[in-house]
Amino acid sequence: ASAPTERNATSTFPKTSPPERTPVLPHSTPAPPSPLRISWVRYLANRYPYVLIMLALLLTLFGAFMRWRRVRQQRLPIGPLAVLRATLRGHLAYTYHLCRHVTRYYTLPMLLVGLLLPPLLPLALIPCAAVIGVDYVRLRPDMGLGEYALCSFLDDCAYGVGVIQGCITHRTWKPLVPVIKRKLPTDQFSRR
C-alpha cells in the first residue's frame, strides 16, 4: 500500500477546505470601547464633553435658587445675583478644600494606583492640578508655574510619607480614614 499523498487520488484522508473568513469591509469602523472598560467620567467626557460642566452648572443654579428662596422668606434685601455669586464661590471653595485634603493625604496612594491602572491616573492628577493652580494664583510665588508645581507636588508627597510613617510608628491608620460629619442647623437658621 502506498502512503497517501496529494498526487494519490485514492487518499484515505478527506479533503478539507480552508476555514472561511468573514470579509472585512473597507468602510467598517472598530466598535467603541465599552463603558465598563473605561471610567464612567471619562466615558461621559469623551462622549458628551459638556455634560459634566452642565451638571455642575445645574447643581449650582439649583443651590442658588434654594438659598434665594430662604432669603426671600426671611425678607432680607439680597438680590438673586448676589446669592448666585455666593453659591458659586461656596461650591468652588468646597471643591478646592476637598482637592486640598485629597492631595495632602492621598497623593502617593492615588499616584501608585494611577500608575498601576493608567485610566485612573487623571483622577490622581486633576486634584493636584486644581490645588496647584489655585495656590499659584492665590499665593503669587516668586517662581515659575512649573517650578511651583514640582515643589508643591513634592511637598504633598513628603507630607504623605510623613503621615504614613506616623501611622506605622503608632500602629494605627485612623489619620488616613476620613470622618464625614453633617453639621446640624442651629436654631438661628432653622426653618420657622
Side-chain angles (χ1 to χ4, degrees):
S2 64
T5 61
E6 288 182 12
R7 293 181 187 173
N8 190 354
T10 59
S11 173
T12 57
F13 298 108
K15 290 186 177 182
T16 58
S17 60
E20 292 184 23
R21 295 185 179 183
T22 55
V24 177
L25 300 175
H27 300 291
S28 65
T29 58
S34 73
L36 298 176
R37 299 192 82 183
I38 57 176
S39 71
W40 64 272
V41 174
R42 194 174 195 188
Y43 176 75
L44 280 177
N46 288 339
R47 187 90 171 177
Y48 310 103
Y50 299 107
V51 168
L52 299 176
I53 295 170
M54 292 299 292
L55 181 64
L57 182 64
L58 286 175
L59 287 174
T60 302
L61 289 174
F62 178 73
F65 177 73
M66 296 303 287
R67 284 177 182 82
W68 186 60
R69 280 182 51 199
R70 270 193 255 149
V71 165
R72 276 194 351 204
Q73 286 175 352
Q74 296 175 3
R75 293 188 172 98
L76 296 173
I78 300 174
L81 185 60
V83 173
L84 177 64
R85 287 178 52 206
T87 303
L88 182 62
R89 183 180 173 134
H91 284 221
L92 291 175
Y94 172 76
T95 302
Y96 168 76
H97 287 293
L98 177 66
C99 290
R100 176 77 255 165
H101 176 77
V102 166
T103 57
R104 180 58 89 182
Y105 289 97
Y106 307 109
T107 296
L108 283 178
M110 287 188 331
L111 189 61
L112 291 176
V113 169
L115 291 175
L116 293 175
L117 301 170
L120 297 179
L121 189 60
L123 293 178
L125 297 179
I126 288 172
C128 292
V131 168
I132 289 169
V134 170
D135 284 347
Y136 185 78
V137 170
R138 184 175 59 91
L139 299 174
R140 297 180 187 158
D142 291 334
M143 58 177 73
L145 179 61
E147 292 172 302
Y148 180 77
L150 179 65
C151 290
S152 178
F153 184 74
L154 291 176
D155 178 55
D156 288 341
C157 290
Y159 188 89
V161 167
V163 169
I164 292 172
Q165 185 179 10
C167 289
I168 292 170
T169 301
H170 294 286
R171 297 181 184 172
T172 182
W173 294 103
K174 285 185 178 181
L176 292 176
V177 177
V179 177
I180 300 172
K181 293 182 181 179
R182 183 172 181 215
K183 186 176 178 182
L184 298 175
T186 61
D187 290 336
Q188 180 183 2
F189 298 105
S190 64
R191 293 186 182 187
R192 295 179 187 182

